[in-house]
Amino acid sequence: MARYIFVTGGVVSSLGKGLSSASLAYLLQSRGFKVRLRKLDPYLNVDPGTMSPFQHGEVFVTDDGAETDLDLGHYERFSGVMAKKTDNITTGKIYSDVLRKERKGKYLGKTVQVIPHITDRIKEFIKHDTSKEDFVICEIGGIVGDIESLPFVEAIRQFANDVGKKNALFIHLTLVPYLKASDEIKTKPTQHSVKELRSIGIQPDIIICRSERSIPLEHRKKISLFCNVDIKNVIETVDVKTIYEAPISFANEKLDIQVLNYFKIKSRKPCNLGPWRKINKIILNTKKQVNIAIIGKYVDLKDAYKSLDEALTHGGIDNNIKVKLVRIDSEKLKPSQIKSKLNNISGILIPGGFGKRGTSGKIESIRFARVNKIPFLGICYGMQMAIIEFARNKLKIRNATSSEFDKKGISIIGLMNEWNKDGIKIKGTDKDLGGTMRLGSYDAKLKENSLVRKIYKSKIIKERHRHRYEVNISYKEKFEKNGLIFSGLSPDNTLPEIVELKNHPWFIGVQFHPEFKSRPFNPHPLFSSFIKAAKKKYAK
Ligand code: GLN
């Protein structure tokens, strides 16, 4: 039977529960165990798909087409285990399931209540499909004491009773602040947070203390005493320079060993930190760097392009070079500034996006990359903008546009049902994807002798999608005659998946999101190749 590890947070949010859970998963895996990671989010949205990146950061997409919390990205990158739809649940999803059942009369006349009906559904979710795992790590979003998280905390309390306390472990992550003025470390917020947790029936077994500086023994003793936790289980996590140091720092604190001791399980093999040490060395010691411009709408929020930032770093690791991300707000980018703003840039990346705002800045930057032969990677919306730029400036279709933001021009990017309505029979399929997102993993076949075929070293690839609009394939010939090759297509030849420019050192647009599948130990080939091209262009 699986053992369950619940990770809650206290004092403030954003302390790094996701990274702590992901690091613990790696350490346990490395010791020979099978681990699954899950996230329970207390907000009322059914999934984060409808939330603005400004609100909640990036929406991560799984192979099976779920739009999930970005922590699932950390989980995948650190553990290598592909997340599934069933690994992320929200209050909204739980309630809609329960209410649907209620409307069908499935509760047989009973009064439907938070306890037991909502908590039962949460418990079902935690347990679902975990019979083959040694450990299931469940992170509870938000912090203890929030009104929204209460049913989740109650559910995990009950869960530990159901499976037996020896099979469930509670980890609580709190903040131990350092006060500069008095040069003191404060344990009181942790004490209060644990008190709050205990008042709802949960005694943490391990406390992870996030701190700016190392926590002296006397303070650890204090936390141990007041919070009723063995001193060995008071674990510190001091701010690290890069997230890749986290697994090493938790191993130094023996987090994995304490978890195994709790469950009275012997390690199956020694923990291997070698790969982490290797990448930390590159990230921390490499002097050479390339500047990559990310031109998008959400550049002010650090988490909005989380997987993308990571994938670029991975590309840097593969090329032994530091990648400096220069974030440029596309809405504020005036055409007259492009030359000066992109002066020191070795590669330009336009990420995914939605809506009209900021499009002209993006299109102008793509033109700059195309004409000046600067390595360019367009992702999803970025590829669509590259198509529009090429159509307007090279094919001279001046009103070429996307029906996402302009209904009057020529929709080279549009919904598939629009094209059919216009009488342009291009698809040869009666599947109607209009008005819905294409989500999750889809195959693409790569053209022989193309740059992408060389990069991927494969005829068929699988990549994750999250978009509603597609490039109208009926323009393929016109584009190709003028040098923009459709080098990746859906297996039925109806949907352009990749475009690349002839006579340019590196200009690629992809309709999917390769960043979701990049891993620190297994960098995505597109990002490695993009950084390699940028390095060739200009590296300091
Ligand atoms: N807004 C575009 C679409 O829906 C692109 C989406 C994206 O970049 N993920 O097709």
Side-chain angles (χ1 to χ4, degrees):
M1 192 190 97
R3 310 305 204 280
Y4 296 85
I5 301 169
F6 297 103
V7 182
T8 54
V11 186
V12 289
S13 60
S14 307
L15 288 179
K17 272 186 303 208
L19 269 178
S20 309
S21 306
S23 301
L24 175 59
Y26 174 85
L27 299 177
L28 292 172
Q29 267 183 333
S30 168
R31 290 185 176 280
F33 299 100
K34 190 166 168 25
V35 181
R36 172 128 234 120
L37 286 137
R38 292 203 152 148
K39 175 93 195 267
L40 290 71
D41 274 315
Y43 48 74
L44 274 167
N45 304 60
V46 173
D47 62 44
T50 53
M51 279 193 239
S52 154
F54 281 127
Q55 284 270 314
H56 199 68
E58 161 190 284
V59 175
F60 187 75
V61 180
T62 59
D63 263 353
D64 62 358
E67 296 175 281
T68 73
D69 186 83
L70 58 81
D71 274 324
L72 273 82
H74 288 310
Y75 300 168
E76 276 201 4
R77 287 188 284 273
F78 276 47
S79 71
V81 178
M82 294 291 193
K84 292 188 195 157
K85 237 178 207 152
T86 45
D87 291 328
N88 188 196
I89 202 106
T90 68
T91 299
K93 175 90 177 74
I94 296 278
Y95 270 80
S96 46
D97 284 3
V98 169
L99 292 177
R100 203 174 310 116
K101 220 169 137 188
E102 186 274 336
R103 288 292 82 188
K104 284 193 173 149
K106 294 277 165 69
Y107 291 106
L108 307 173
K110 287 199 187 102
T111 309
V112 180
Q113 293 179 299
V114 173
I115 305 173
H117 301 102
I118 295 295
T119 48
D120 277 355
R121 184 73 193 98
I122 297 172
K123 289 194 285 180
E124 270 169 41
F125 161 73
I126 294 170
K127 213 164 187 175
H128 172 78
D129 190 22
T130 55
S131 56
K132 292 191 192 82
E133 266 73 20
D134 296 305
F135 294 104
V136 180
I137 303 177
C138 280
E139 177 192 344
I140 321 294
I143 60 170
V144 168
D146 289 347
I147 291 177
E148 288 104 330
S149 61
L150 208 55
F152 287 102
V153 181
E154 167 61 17
I156 61 172
R157 182 194 68 75
Q158 294 175 15
F159 191 95
N161 265 346
D162 297 350
V163 296
K165 189 62 191 71
K166 62 179 189 317
N167 295 315
L169 166 82
F170 293 114
I171 297 181
H172 192 52
L173 174 65
T174 70
L175 178 71
V176 177
Y178 164 71
L179 299 188
K180 217 172 169 184
S182 54
D183 188 26
E184 272 182 303
I185 276 179
K186 290 294 188 191
T187 64
K188 198 60 99 188
T190 297
Q191 294 177 37
H192 276 290
S193 176
V194 170
K195 201 168 149 195
E196 179 98 45
L197 196 57
R198 286 164 75 181
S199 75
I200 32 187
I202 293 180
Q203 165 65 51
D205 304 297
I206 292 178
I207 298 179
I208 300 181
C209 306
R210 173 80 187 262
S211 176
E212 220 178 288
R213 46 183 66 201
S214 186
I215 303 172
L217 184 62
E218 60 177 300
H219 290 80
R220 291 200 196 208
K221 278 188 181 157
K222 211 164 158 187
I223 294 171
S224 158
L225 181 69
F226 282 97
C227 301
N228 197 25
V229 168
D230 186 336
I231 181 90
K232 285 200 206 111
N233 289 348
V234 178
I235 303 242
E236 70 174 23
T237 172
V238 178
D239 297 354
V240 280
K241 284 195 211 81
T242 115
I243 57 168
Y244 305 114
E245 283 184 274
I248 299 177
S249 130
F250 281 119
N252 290 342
E253 283 286 298
K254 302 193 168 54
L255 173 62
D256 50 334
I257 292 176
Q258 288 311 103
V259 166
L260 293 181
N261 285 347
Y262 175 89
F263 289 117
K264 299 190 172 48
I265 295 177
K266 280 210 177 72
S267 177
R268 291 182 184 155
K269 49 183 185 170
C271 179
N272 177 16
L273 292 169
W276 295 103
R277 294 221 163 89
K278 201 169 141 199
I279 58 175
N280 274 305
K281 215 167 140 190
I282 299 173
I283 290 178
L284 298 172
N285 301 339
T286 310
K287 296 272 175 313
K288 267 193 165 187
Q289 82 176 28
V290 277
N291 296 334
I292 302 292
I294 300 185
I295 305 173
K297 236 175 16 183
Y298 312 112
V299 285
D300 288 338
L301 187 87
K302 216 176 91 239
D303 280 348
Y305 302 113
K306 193 80 216 157
S307 298
L308 188 63
D309 297 354
E310 290 297 309
L312 286 164
T313 307
H314 303 161
I317 294 171
D318 211 24
N319 286 285
N320 239 310
I321 197 157
K322 230 185 233 167
V323 176
K324 181 162 178 238
L325 306 177
V326 182
R327 298 166 209 273
I328 299 176
D329 186 341
S330 53
E331 282 190 75
K332 292 186 191 142
L333 187 62
K334 295 197 186 85
S336 58
Q337 301 170 318
I338 287 185
K339 205 171 166 194
S340 62
K341 289 239 173 182
L342 300 178
N343 186 26
N344 248 333
I345 296 297
S346 318
I348 295 174
L349 193 148
I350 311 280
F354 292 83
K356 186 175 171 70
R357 284 186 292 123
T359 45
S360 63
K362 289 180 189 173
I363 292 173
E364 276 310 308
S365 318
I366 296 169
R367 181 192 175 118
F368 185 81
R370 179 172 63 81
V371 174
N372 295 294
K373 306 223 183 297
I374 299 170
F376 167 81
L377 176 57
I379 294 182
C380 204
Y381 199 67
M383 158 171 163
Q384 297 176 356
M385 293 304 109
I387 291 277
I388 292 176
E389 189 280 318
F390 198 82
R392 285 184 189 172
N393 299 321
K394 191 84 188 177
L395 307 185
K396 308 287 179 215
I397 310 174
R398 295 286 180 208
N399 59 346
T401 190
S402 163
S403 54
E404 177 171 2
F405 51 80
D406 180 2
K407 301 278 180 265
K408 288 193 222 93
I410 296 187
S411 300
I412 294 197
I413 316 291
L415 298 173
M416 277 186 280
N417 60 354
E418 284 170 32
W419 308 331
N420 291 339
K421 210 168 47 204
D422 286 345
I424 308 167
K425 188 68 191 142
I426 40 121
K427 245 204 120 262
T429 165
D430 39 23
K431 245 188 275 160
D432 183 355
L433 295 184
T436 55
M437 287 249 210
R438 185 143 78 104
L439 281 170
S441 184
Y442 284 84
D443 286 1
K445 53 176 196 185
L446 308 184
K447 198 180 166 106
E448 229 170 305
N449 297 324
S450 62
L451 176 59
V452 284
R453 179 88 168 250
K454 247 184 258 153
I455 293 172
Y456 275 95
K457 295 189 183 77
S458 171
K459 276 189 213 166
I460 301 275
I461 56 163
K462 284 182 193 303
E463 292 283 8
R464 295 182 195 173
H465 291 246
R466 180 178 183 246
H467 57 102
R468 201 164 270 127
Y469 295 84
E470 307 276 357
V471 178
N472 188 336
I473 193 135
S474 54
Y475 290 89
K476 181 172 179 279
E477 219 170 285
K478 216 164 172 192
F479 276 101
E480 293 197 329
K481 259 193 203 145
N482 286 278
L484 191 71
I485 308 300
F486 286 29
S487 52
L489 291 176
S490 59
D492 65 354
N493 293 325
T494 60
L495 300 172
E497 293 277 6
I498 307 177
V499 295
E500 63 184 57
L501 203 54
K502 263 205 228 157
N503 305 323
H504 188 289
W506 210 101
F507 187 105
I508 292 178
V510 292
Q511 186 58 83
F512 44 80
H513 289 271
E515 69 271 29
F516 292 142
K517 286 176 79 171
S518 188
R519 309 272 177 266
F521 307 137
N522 190 10
H524 192 289
L526 269 182
F527 286 93
S528 291
S529 175
F530 176 54
I531 298 298
K532 193 173 175 187
K535 190 175 162 184
K536 240 190 230 165
K537 170 91 190 151
Y538 178 79
K540 271 188 182 166

